[in-house]
Amino acid sequence: MPLALAALALAGMGASYVIGLDQWFVDAVPPELRGRAMTLLTAGLMTIQGAGMALAGLAAEFFPVHHVVAGSGIIGTVTTLLVVAEVRRTTPGQVSDTERRDGADRHMTSR
């Protein structure tokens, strides 16, 4: 049980990184196209997730399920690490339009 909880916590931390990626995506899109771009991003993510599930089900028809689950975890981890590397490669300290508009130096705890 402790190992399963640790794996679940690690997966959750990996999934939470997506929140920051949305801002990265929004900053790369012109303001007048952001609504359409976010819709396309969401539709694309759902499509890829569905295709991944279908491929995992297909793989489970030919390979032991525990190998498919482990392989999916490895593929997900490698993909996440590649995305993290790409994000970190971009210019650090870049302030987004939203942060500039809302005041990047203000925090929720300051009054």
Side-chain angles (χ1 to χ4, degrees), residues 51-66:
M53 293 293 180
L55 289 173
L58 180 65
E61 292 291 324
F62 301 101
F63 302 103
V65 174
H66 64 279

Side-chain angles (χ1 to χ4, degrees), residues 39-102:
T39 301
L40 185 61
L41 172 69
T42 303
L45 283 173
M46 284 195 249
T47 301
I48 292 297
Q49 289 169 347
M53 293 293 180
L55 289 173
L58 180 65
E61 292 291 324
F62 301 101
F63 302 103
V65 174
H66 64 279
H67 288 169
V68 174
V69 171
S72 298
I74 292 168
I75 290 169
T77 301
V78 168
T79 303
T80 300
L81 292 174
L82 290 172
V83 170
V84 168
E86 178 64 19
V87 170
R88 289 182 184 236
R89 187 186 63 77
T90 59
T91 309
Q94 203 172 3
V95 177
S96 71
D97 292 339
T98 305
E99 290 172 326
R100 195 174 297 106
R101 182 190 71 226
D102 295 343

Side-chain angles (χ1 to χ4, degrees), residues 7-58:
L8 185 59
L10 183 62
M13 287 188 293
S16 69
Y17 204 81
V18 172
I19 295 169
L21 294 179
D22 282 348
Q23 186 62 49
W24 188 44
F25 180 78
V26 166
D27 289 344
V29 177
E32 64 274 7
L33 297 176
R34 286 186 181 157
R36 292 180 194 170
M38 289 302 291
T39 301
L40 185 61
L41 172 69
T42 303
L45 283 173
M46 284 195 249
T47 301
I48 292 297
Q49 289 169 347
M53 293 293 180
L55 289 173
L58 180 65

